[in-house]
Amino acid sequence: MTVPDIRTPWFRGVRAPAAKIRLVCFPHAGGAAGTFHNWATLTPPEVEVLSVQYPGRQDRLSEPCATTMDELADAITAALLDEPADDLPLALFGHSMGSSVAYEVARRLEEVPGRTLTRLFVSGRTRPRLAQELAPRSAPTDDDILNHVRRLDPQGAALYEHPALRTVIMPSLRADFGLLAAYRPTRLHRLGVPVTACGGDGDPACPVEDLAAWSDVTTEGLDVRVFEGNHFYLNPRKEELVGFITAQLL
């Protein structure tokens, strides 16, 4: 029997008929669902993996990018609630910008009766900064963005040196960095589920000690797990990371 793919405007994945939990994965700024394209091959049948596809990239290239965190989180939450009417509990994993998006979706899901959220996994980013902690910033210039990307991912940044690719990729990256620059919640919502914060021991954007700040967004405790690597440790450490996540879920 062929297992159908999950392919909606917002999600990519493979349906897992034996699933007991659904893991929803949120990519980094400028990233896409393909970041997690083979995670399902590393998880047991009890875990169904959904990858979020933000608008303005890959097969959603013709759609406008989200301009605010509320716009993006509201749309993803609504799309999740439109998923098959089953009682599968949800867990969320976000990397970098995806951590903030996943947190915002998590707090929205907690307000929905009948949908069970079990855990939030965040990666490569500290918790959201409040308006009173850090004022909104001006959107960074393209040079600012590219210098930041080169610092975090020297190999991946080589794509931006190709004019044709840069024209295609830059708009979503520019939009995501602008969204993050303006994102300043007025208060922190404390989730009623555990939070697990992951990071690379050599991440220049999110030092290991910054992961502890996620304790401010949960009433159920924070676990911190550090992996060897830089900001994009999750690529070379994928099997180790997915195994760790799976152990936390089952």
Side-chain angles (χ1 to χ4, degrees), residues 50-130:
L50 282 186
S51 303
V52 177
Q53 183 75 307
Y54 304 140
R57 62 215 73 200
Q58 292 187 339
D59 56 351
R60 301 189 71 184
L61 192 62
S62 63
E63 301 177 46
C65 296
T67 58
T68 69
M69 182 64 77
D70 284 344
E71 174 191 351
L72 186 58
D74 285 347
I76 295 170
T77 303
L80 271 177
L81 296 176
D82 283 341
E83 272 295 287
D86 54 37
D87 58 356
L88 278 183
L90 299 171
L92 311 182
F93 173 89
H95 178 65
S96 199
M97 171 180 129
S99 296
S100 295
V101 183
Y103 162 72
E104 287 291 337
V105 171
R107 72 177 188 84
R108 286 161 169 78
L109 287 173
E110 285 204 326
E111 298 173 355
V112 180
R115 294 311 300 243
T116 302
L117 180 68
T118 63
R119 184 178 288 267
L120 172 66
F121 295 89
V122 293
S123 168
R125 191 170 183 82
T126 191
R127 67 131 167 101
R129 297 302 188 187
L130 299 173

Side-chain angles (χ1 to χ4, degrees), residues 141-175:
T141 66
D142 285 2
D143 284 343
D144 293 335
I145 294 170
L146 291 176
N147 286 337
H148 185 72
V149 170
R150 291 184 185 107
R151 185 166 68 100
L152 298 187
D153 186 19
Q155 291 181 324
L159 289 173
Y160 297 94
E161 306 305 326
H162 298 276
L165 290 175
R166 182 168 173 170
T167 300
V168 173
I169 299 172
M170 201 65 207
S172 62
L173 195 62
R174 188 184 301 125

Side-chain angles (χ1 to χ4, degrees), residues 125 134-140 175-184:
R125 191 170 183 82
L134 194 63
R137 307 187 303 272
S138 299
D176 290 350
F177 271 75
L179 180 154
L180 289 172
Y183 171 53
R184 295 293 180 273

Side-chain angles (χ1 to χ4, degrees), residues 5-69:
D5 286 346
I6 303 168
R7 193 172 187 85
T8 73
W10 285 99
F11 305 116
R12 307 289 182 271
V14 177
R15 192 64 68 198
K20 296 180 180 179
I21 192 166
R22 182 172 291 134
L23 176 66
V24 186
C25 301
F26 298 73
H28 56 280
T35 301
F36 310 103
H37 77 280
N38 62 353
W39 277 34
T41 67
L42 302 174
T43 57
E46 294 84 0
V47 179
E48 181 176 279
V49 179
L50 282 186
S51 303
V52 177
Q53 183 75 307
Y54 304 140
R57 62 215 73 200
Q58 292 187 339
D59 56 351
R60 301 189 71 184
L61 192 62
S62 63
E63 301 177 46
C65 296
T67 58
T68 69
M69 182 64 77

